[in-house]
Amino acid sequence: ILATNQRLEQAVQERTAELQTAMRETASALTTQQDLVQTLNRVSSPIIPVIPGVLAMPLIGQLTAERAKFATQELLQRIEKSRVDLVLLDLTGVPVLEPSAAQALRHTVTASYLLGARTMLVGITPEVAQMLVALDLDMHTIDTAADLQSAIAQVLRSRMRKAGPLG
């Protein structure tokens, strides 16, 4: 019986050591994965100065609520730091929009406004437009443009009108 107990104790110790090693490897893999997700979020949501007072944020790929939240945090920090008055949220690269991401997008627009920056949605696909309508989000106060080039042209025309004739 003593020999059997010793074999069992040895087997338990070996198995415990294996499990501890597996747990350390899993924790390390999880940390690496979290770092990769953060890097992916930054790369797929760049914030680009376009002209003085205007930032563009092209969103690329599937926009989940988590990614939208991350993008919002980054954008709000940049708005505060740069004191811009307009953000062009370019959705051209977003094929579909989850309902939770659409809600997060609306929150982004509202939070940007509270910091003094209007938001223009750019490059809305038919699928994204249908999702926004289906969710009955009040988007009437948000300017839109077909693409980034049109948005920039619209901004420049507006600024030229406000500046008035030179003379």
Side-chain angles (χ1 to χ4, degrees), residues 151-166:
I152 294 169
Q154 187 177 337
V155 169
L156 291 174
R157 279 192 306 273
S158 174
R159 288 187 176 192
M160 294 283 278
R161 280 194 303 271
K162 286 181 182 176
L166 296 177

Side-chain angles (χ1 to χ4, degrees), residues 13-152:
Q13 288 175 355
E14 289 172 6
R15 184 64 180 144
T16 300
E18 289 172 6
L19 290 173
Q20 288 174 339
T21 300
M23 284 176 49
R24 281 191 300 274
E25 290 172 358
T26 301
S28 176
L30 179 61
T31 300
T32 300
Q33 182 182 11
Q34 289 170 337
D35 291 345
L36 288 172
V37 166
Q38 274 194 331
T39 300
L40 179 61
N41 282 339
R42 281 193 183 90
V43 170
S44 62
S45 305
I47 301 171
I48 306 162
V50 178
I51 56 176
V54 179
L55 295 176
M57 181 179 229
L59 298 171
I60 302 161
Q62 182 179 7
L63 187 61
T64 62
E66 181 181 327
R67 265 193 67 212
K69 181 179 177 183
F70 178 85
T72 298
Q73 290 170 344
E74 294 288 310
L75 181 62
L76 295 178
Q77 289 174 3
R78 188 70 175 270
I79 289 169
E80 181 182 40
K81 179 180 163 187
S82 303
R83 295 293 179 203
V84 299
D85 57 8
L86 179 64
V87 173
L88 306 175
L89 271 181
D90 188 356
L91 303 175
T92 304
V94 178
V96 293
L97 195 61
E98 296 177 1
S100 58
Q103 292 284 357
L105 198 60
R106 183 65 179 127
H107 292 292
T108 301
V109 171
T110 302
S112 298
Y113 176 77
L114 291 173
L115 290 178
R118 289 183 306 116
T119 303
M120 181 183 293
L121 295 182
V122 177
I124 298 174
T125 64
E127 294 81 10
V128 170
Q130 288 175 349
M131 174 57 70
L132 294 172
V133 170
L135 290 173
D136 199 28
L137 295 177
D138 181 17
M139 304 297 264
H140 293 93
T141 59
I142 301 172
D143 293 329
T144 61
D147 54 43
L148 194 54
Q149 183 177 0
S150 301
I152 294 169

